[in-house]
Amino acid sequence: MRVPTRTGAGQLAEARRLLMTTYGPDGAPVTERRWVIRDGASALGILMPTASPLAGRLRAGSGILIGAAALRARAAFLDEESTVGYRTALIDKYGLTAVVMLARARLRHGPAGTVGVRLVLGAGDRGLMGRAWQPDWSYSVN
């Protein structure tokens, strides 16, 4: 029996959590799971602390792979008004659990301590790591 893969934005948004892979400064993959909501026809939304390591990697332009199908995406940080809309959508989807987690985040990070991030699927057409690394003349294995 073949298991269908989740590839569309709607199917990914129906999942309980979204599997995201970003890349650190040294090129090592970092995989995280985040609560996800749908934001339009070809985009997803996540909420994260403003000063989190994931937010830093996304601001630095790290490539993003989403799900087991390894879909590429581009991140866009939202303003405060849109972030409030994401909080409301998370509460609508996850219920009391989201209320408790958002209250905890507000106590830990303050009222402006979380930011909404819109993930546009299929927009990361450039390479994840940039151009291929080539050693210069002084490179030595030892």
Side-chain angles (χ1 to χ4, degrees):
M1 182 171 133
R2 190 178 144 164
V3 178
T5 59
R6 296 175 180 232
T7 56
Q11 292 174 332
L12 287 169
E14 288 173 7
R16 186 91 176 132
R17 291 182 184 258
L18 179 70
L19 181 69
M20 288 179 43
T21 303
T22 56
Y23 294 87
D26 60 348
V30 180
T31 303
E32 296 189 16
R33 295 175 311 171
R34 293 284 175 175
W35 284 355
V36 61
I37 58 170
R38 188 171 184 171
D39 184 9
S42 65
L44 302 170
I46 61 173
L47 197 68
M48 70 179 71
T50 306
S52 69
L54 177 59
R57 286 191 301 274
L58 293 178
R59 282 191 185 98
S62 172
I64 306 167
L65 293 179
I66 294 184
L71 295 172
R72 291 185 180 185
R74 181 179 44 86
F77 286 86
L78 302 177
D79 59 351
E80 185 63 34
E81 188 175 310
S82 299
T83 299
V84 170
Y86 273 23
R87 286 187 193 114
T88 305
L90 281 173
I91 291 171
D92 290 344
K93 182 175 179 180
Y94 296 100
L96 184 61
T97 306
V99 171
V100 171
M101 294 305 290
L102 290 172
R104 179 177 174 257
R106 188 176 189 115
L107 287 173
R108 289 182 72 198
H109 305 291
T114 56
V115 64
V117 178
R118 186 171 196 251
L119 301 172
V120 182
L121 298 178
D125 54 357
R126 64 178 188 161
L128 290 175
M129 299 299 297
R131 61 184 180 87
W133 179 77
Q134 295 290 326
D136 64 355
W137 65 273
S138 64
Y139 177 77
S140 173
V141 178
N142 293 333

